[in-house]
Amino acid sequence: MMPRRLNVQSTAWKENKLILLIEDEQNTELTDWKDSERMLVDSDGLAFIYVLEDEEGFNYISIGHNHWNEVKKALVEDAVFVVQNEKREELELTAFSREMYFLTDNIQGNANYGQQMEDEVIKVFGTEEKTQ
């Protein structure tokens, strides 16, 4: 089965927690999901993809470029990241910070991700070009 992609529609703060709000037409129970503790990059879509699993396969939580400033703020503040569905069920994304730090560091100076992705990551996350 193809992975199901769910886009983050908006973000919200609750104390030291950044909530990534998703719309899910299938009304999936987040309690059935498992954290895969890994993240992918969608260079063409300018998005980071957090991977979750359920009994049917993978669920990709797509964090588009328009939410990166909030993600950066949450990283700086060492906040907890959670995904929340329309039923207000939450699932903590335990490896989010670690994966974001790894990817944003890896993207800089790496042509494999494309120039636009690299430029946007540097702009938002404040990374600098690696010395050649």
Side-chain angles (χ1 to χ4, degrees), residues 26-113:
Q26 297 176 9
N27 289 322
T28 308
E29 300 284 331
L30 286 186
T31 55
D32 296 337
W33 290 10
K34 179 179 167 250
D35 189 344
S36 291
E37 297 186 3
R38 61 190 168 113
M39 192 176 279
L40 307 171
V41 175
D42 175 3
S43 296
D44 294 334
L46 289 179
F48 290 98
I49 311 290
Y50 199 90
V51 181
L52 299 171
E53 298 176 58
D54 64 19
E55 59 207 27
E56 295 179 24
F58 294 109
N59 297 291
Y60 290 172
I61 306 301
S62 178
I63 304 105
H65 174 257
N66 54 326
H67 301 295
W68 290 4
N69 286 322
E70 289 299 311
V71 169
K72 169 67 175 179
K73 179 181 174 194
L75 289 170
V76 167
E77 295 180 10
D78 199 26
V80 173
F81 290 86
V82 298
V83 63
Q84 184 183 86
N85 63 11
E86 293 167 319
K87 294 185 271 189
R88 298 194 163 283
E89 296 173 327
E90 292 182 0
L91 177 65
E92 183 176 346
L93 307 177
T94 58
F96 195 99
S97 294
R98 180 188 74 223
E99 289 290 296
M100 280 299 296
Y101 283 124
F102 172 79
L103 288 172
T104 55
D105 184 54
N106 194 42
I107 288 169
Q108 62 180 331
N110 189 335
N112 292 330
Y113 292 97

